Amino acid sequence: MGLEFSAEQEQVASLFTSYRNDIDIYTEDEDKDKAFYKKLFTRLLDGSGINISDVYPLGASSEVIDACRRDTDTSRKKIYIVDGDIFILLTPKAPIPNLFVLDSYCMENLVIDEEAVCKTLCNRSGEMEYEDIRHNYNYNQMIENHKIDIIELFFYKALDKKFSNRFALYSIGKYYDKNNHLDHTKIAQEKDEIKNRLVATGLLTQEEFDAELVLLRGRFPYTYETFHKIISGKDFLIPMIDLHARNTLGIKAGYSKIAWKYNFCQHCSLNRLQPLKDAIIQAAQ
């Protein structure tokens, strides 16, 4: 097992390699995610004239934010990047100097799209053509089959966080049946548990709960874009993609979540990452 360092130690250690960067980029996650971030930022910044040789994962979102607040060194260009998390449904994390908050649940969300998934599956298969995979996998239908139930579930989780400060996030597999299909009754059961707990404890009346749901549904319609924005890419979208490949293509991918996102970032559209690219370029000036 390799040595593990605190966010503060990682931040200090970056001073020894910062000469290789035009800007220092600090992110969430761990050292094992570094290859993903380097690959993604190198592709994102291609043609910008900004060189990135190292990226510095600091751990959880709170650790990245704390490190950003502590950082008073003005001799280096830098940017700290954190996920939007469940707060994108509530009150987004407050920006501070040098901090960029993603407008999506997590970084994984921004590298997941149909082309990235199908090209990754094509490389994994080695036997099926891209168009055959695209047709048989039917990415958009997969989203359609999950969209309303999963978006609603995250609405309920957001209200649980807002009013009871309770938030439990499981892998999407918890809501599947033994055949790896979405089990609507399991989702309905968890939604009922959340609503009953909030109402029974007097945190909300039934009318207030319903009104809060109406507000969320108005802000986040049941669309492809909402699904890719507010649902956890790491814990829901990637496992969903994996299980759907097993069901439709017979591919037992055997990829870790890190391997999936590493492949996705090489093929995804960069359009949704444009605000992050603009922020990095501005911070590097």
Side-chain angles (χ1 to χ4, degrees):
M1 181 180 294
L3 293 175
E4 295 184 0
F5 299 97
S6 68
E8 191 168 2
Q9 289 170 321
E10 292 281 6
Q11 191 178 20
V12 172
S14 70
L15 298 175
F16 297 100
T17 56
S18 61
Y19 67 92
R20 296 185 288 193
N21 294 325
D22 292 332
I23 180 173
D24 299 330
I25 301 179
Y26 299 92
T27 70
E28 295 188 29
D29 298 321
E30 306 171 32
D31 273 351
K32 63 184 180 181
D33 301 282
K34 184 178 289 191
F36 159 71
Y37 284 112
K38 287 172 65 175
K39 178 68 70 174
L40 175 62
F41 291 135
T42 298
R43 182 172 173 235
L44 182 64
L45 297 169
D46 183 44
S48 69
I50 297 174
N51 296 311
I52 300 294
S53 296
D54 284 288
V55 178
Y56 309 107
L58 298 179
S61 176
S62 59
E63 293 178 293
V64 179
I65 294 171
D66 288 345
C68 184
R69 288 196 175 108
R70 288 194 308 266
D71 191 346
T72 58
D73 177 18
T74 58
S75 66
R76 293 286 307 168
K77 305 294 185 181
K78 66 199 69 173
I79 188 169
Y80 291 78
I81 303 167
V82 294
D83 297 340
D85 295 324
I86 196 66
F87 300 102
I88 61 171
L89 286 159
L90 303 170
T91 302
K93 298 172 185 176
I96 58 177
N98 299 323
L99 179 71
F100 183 88
V101 181
L102 296 176
D103 188 27
S104 288
Y105 196 98
C106 59
M107 188 70 79
E108 286 84 350
N109 290 67
L110 297 172
V111 299
I112 293 174
D113 57 40
E114 181 182 18
E115 184 168 355
V117 170
C118 291
K119 284 188 175 179
T120 296
L121 289 170
C122 188
N123 291 338
R124 176 65 183 86
S125 166
E127 299 176 358
M128 300 175 66
E129 298 287 345
Y130 173 83
E131 286 302 325
D132 291 334
I133 285 179
R134 186 172 179 272
H135 174 76
N136 294 329
Y137 189 78
N138 201 341
Y139 182 87
N140 289 332
Q141 187 60 54
M142 173 187 69
I143 301 301
E144 194 64 31
N145 292 343
H146 288 75
K147 189 173 59 180
I148 294 177
D149 278 313
I150 300 300
I151 288 175
E152 274 282 301
L153 177 62
F154 270 71
F155 288 165
Y156 277 65
K157 286 181 177 293
L159 294 181
D160 206 10
K161 176 65 176 176
K162 179 177 180 179
F163 291 102
S164 72
N165 200 31
R166 176 189 174 109
F167 181 70
L169 184 64
Y170 312 100
S171 173
I172 197 173
K174 178 181 186 291
Y175 309 99
Y176 277 39
D177 61 24
K178 63 181 180 181
N179 296 314
N180 289 333
H181 295 125
L182 192 64
D183 188 332
H184 306 283
T185 60
K186 291 182 178 179
I187 293 176
Q189 180 179 352
E190 183 165 328
K191 286 163 56 182
D192 284 342
E193 289 172 357
I194 292 172
K195 179 180 70 174
N196 292 338
R197 183 171 58 249
L198 292 176
V199 173
T201 56
L203 292 171
L204 289 172
T205 64
Q206 181 66 56
E207 292 74 18
E208 289 169 337
F209 184 88
D210 292 341
E212 290 286 340
L213 274 181
V214 169
L215 289 174
L216 286 172
R217 289 167 180 161
R219 290 174 55 212
F220 301 98
Y222 302 114
T223 62
Y224 179 97
E225 291 74 21
T226 293
F227 189 81
H228 285 80
K229 176 177 182 174
I230 72 167
I231 307 304
S232 171
K234 183 181 299 181
D235 294 297
F236 272 68
L237 302 189
I238 290 178
M240 176 191 71
I241 289 163
D242 189 348
L243 290 168
H244 193 63
R246 298 167 189 257
N247 288 342
T248 60
L249 304 175
I251 294 178
K252 293 181 173 56
Y255 280 165
S256 65
K257 291 178 183 178
I258 293 175
W260 277 113
K261 68 182 182 181
Y262 182 82
N263 280 274
F264 293 158
C265 79
Q266 298 176 65
H267 305 296
C268 67
S269 168
L270 298 176
N271 290 342
R272 288 185 295 152
L273 287 152
Q274 187 64 45
L276 176 57
K277 178 180 180 179
D278 292 343
I280 295 172
I281 291 174
Q282 182 177 2
Q285 293 176 352

